[in-house]
Amino acid sequence: MSAPTVEPTTAPAAAPADTAPAPDPRLREGAFGNATALACRECGHQVALGPFYACPECFGPLEVAYDFPAVTREQIEAGPRNIWRYKALLPVPDDIEQSPNTEPGFTRLLEARNLAAELGLDKLWVKDDSTNPTNSFKDRVVACALSAARELDAKVFACPSTGNLANAVAAAGARAGMKTVVFIPSNLEKPKQVNSAVYTDKLVAVDGNYDDVNKLASEIAGEEEGWAFVNVNVRPFYAEGSKTLGYEIAEQLGWRLPDQVVIPVASGSQLTKVRKAFQELVALGLVEDKPVRIFGAQATGCSPVSTAYKAGVDAIRPVKPDTIAKSLAIGNPADGIYVLDICRETGGAVEDISDDEVREGILLLARTEGIFTETAGGTTVGVLKKLVETGQLDTSLETVVINTGMGLKTLDAVADRVGPAATIAPSYSAFVASGIV
């Protein structure tokens, strides 16, 4: 993708809009809504809105900066029942609803009374993103990335993925009528491969783990013109889609923040953006400020952030993933250090569990609340259980746990743990003899 001009500036990340770099003249007015620039999280340097993800000064990650207008609860509530109800708070144009997309979001927030009783919690909610169009939270981030790709006149919509993102990119690209190419590790779960291949004939399996696939995508993004890799060169826009999870939790709780949130950690972007969403709602006066403890969940087979948290260090040491929770199998998480900072700052923690405990987490959520989650959700529920058992989570506080995807995508994880309790002849006497109840 051809890069718009980078405007040098020394303005800090929180600089007012009038110090932000001039927008690229090739962009249409309002292409990114109320976004004003891309700001470095490390040094505050700002660059013009465009296909950039690393600071030209210090190579720190860039994120979207805004000049938000006055926004009311009533304006949001009058919007569509999808993420575009928050379009004033996202890097998308005001006419975003006119462009074909998968319209994700506004998924249910389910009070989990049975699971709460099982774990000894006073108040527990499950934010269930398995009901998004391709059955995972990735539809949210892809919707924002697709808008950016359109505005930047990208010719190819693409991603490296551990599965759910591949499904979301393939589906959104098909609906948008864009050429779409998806790169995945060759050992990815078969259902996730099928879920992408039905939307695109450009599914590319790479011999290696996700970090190898991501490296290849970064090389292609640097060499080829017109490619929008949703989680590489348009990553700052993509990541903003995760904020809508935080917005929805607050709105669905009656415009207030929960006391505690448990969030799975792969790259760590989702956790950092949920926190950003809460902070933005407070700054805009849409919710009352209060402490929110934030907890991260990883599988032990890929737990570099949890390991650093427990060791009390600030550096994340990359690992080679070896876990059934493949959607969390990112050995070198881009936002890992920010996850550490947020969990420590808010009084939360980062915890990990074994693959057997991931499977138990899947069954626990299914058999208490009727929600069949994928391995990432099993990890989150399993970590919630461990946090309670180890006294790290306050059971008297209102807690939200995030389910990021559908269990039908990772059937193999529990296929050998479940099945018929008995096989009987079609007669009442056989039923009685089985002793099934």
Side-chain angles (χ1 to χ4, degrees), residues 32-50:
F32 294 101
N34 298 306
T36 57
L38 298 178
C40 177
R41 281 199 241 176
E42 293 296 328
C43 71
H45 183 81
Q46 293 194 1
V47 301
L49 294 162

Side-chain angles (χ1 to χ4, degrees), residues 106-431:
F106 220 68
T107 56
R108 62 182 180 171
L109 181 70
L110 180 75
E111 184 170 3
R113 294 187 178 89
N114 296 330
L115 181 57
E118 180 76 19
L119 299 180
L121 289 157
D122 287 354
K123 195 76 166 180
L124 177 65
W125 303 84
V126 175
K127 180 59 175 170
D128 185 15
D129 253 20
S130 68
T131 56
N132 271 315
T134 65
N135 306 114
S136 88
F137 81 103
K138 290 293 187 181
D139 291 312
R140 298 174 182 271
V141 286
V142 168
C144 288
L146 178 58
S147 175
R150 279 200 187 97
E151 299 299 340
L152 294 168
D153 198 28
K155 306 305 180 191
V156 184
F157 196 50
C159 73
S161 173
T162 56
N164 282 326
L165 181 60
N167 302 167
V169 165
R175 182 157 166 74
M178 293 185 71
K179 182 178 181 180
T180 302
V181 184
V182 171
F183 299 86
I184 58 169
S186 58
N187 68 347
L188 192 66
E189 298 100 329
K190 190 69 174 177
K192 286 182 176 174
Q193 294 190 34
V194 173
N195 267 285
S196 294
V198 295
Y199 301 115
T200 178
D201 60 358
K202 299 292 189 298
L203 177 68
V204 181
V206 178
D207 288 330
N209 60 31
Y210 173 78
D211 297 296
D212 297 320
V213 181
N214 190 47
K215 181 181 178 185
L216 172 62
S218 298
E219 291 174 356
I220 295 172
E223 295 291 334
E224 301 290 334
E225 291 285 326
W227 284 60
F229 278 92
V230 302
N231 49 347
V232 181
N233 55 349
V234 293
R235 182 180 178 83
F237 306 98
Y238 154 93
E240 290 293 283
S242 284
K243 293 193 309 181
T244 57
L245 264 166
Y247 297 151
E248 289 179 17
I249 289 170
E251 181 180 352
Q252 291 171 319
L253 285 176
W255 292 108
R256 61 182 177 80
L257 303 181
D259 299 316
Q260 303 176 133
V261 185
V262 185
I263 305 171
V265 174
S267 73
S269 175
Q270 185 185 60
L271 187 147
T272 65
K273 295 304 178 183
V274 168
R275 207 289 180 94
K276 185 179 181 184
F278 290 164
Q279 291 176 322
E280 288 178 351
L281 293 179
V282 171
L284 289 164
L286 294 171
V287 299
E288 186 175 338
D289 196 9
K290 62 175 286 190
V292 181
R293 302 178 72 197
I294 298 180
F295 297 84
Q298 294 198 299
T300 303
C302 185
S303 54
V305 186
S306 176
T307 299
Y309 173 81
K310 292 175 180 176
V313 299
D314 295 330
I316 306 290
R317 181 183 293 246
V319 301
K320 186 175 182 178
D322 182 16
T323 172
I324 63 169
K326 296 189 184 303
S327 60
L328 301 182
I330 297 180
N332 188 14
D335 280 7
I337 57 173
Y338 303 106
V339 169
L340 278 179
D341 289 344
I342 290 171
C343 292
R344 286 169 174 160
E345 179 185 332
T346 63
V350 189
E351 187 55 270
D352 60 271
I353 57 171
S354 69
D355 283 356
D356 279 346
E357 290 171 313
V358 172
R359 297 184 181 94
E360 290 169 8
I362 292 172
L363 297 178
L364 179 60
L365 183 61
R367 292 177 176 177
T368 55
E369 299 299 339
I371 299 173
F372 185 18
T373 181
E374 61 169 351
T375 49
T379 303
T380 314
V381 171
V383 164
L384 169 69
K385 181 173 183 287
K386 187 170 183 178
L387 290 168
V388 171
E389 291 171 345
T390 55
Q392 298 178 79
L393 188 136
D394 189 334
T395 57
S396 69
L397 299 179
E398 184 175 50
T399 304
V400 175
V401 62
I402 293 179
N403 173 37
T404 50
M406 166 67 73
L408 291 175
K409 295 182 178 185
T410 58
L411 273 176
D412 287 350
V414 291
D416 62 352
R417 295 277 185 107
V418 297
T423 301
I424 63 173
S427 68
Y428 180 70
S429 60
F431 167 70

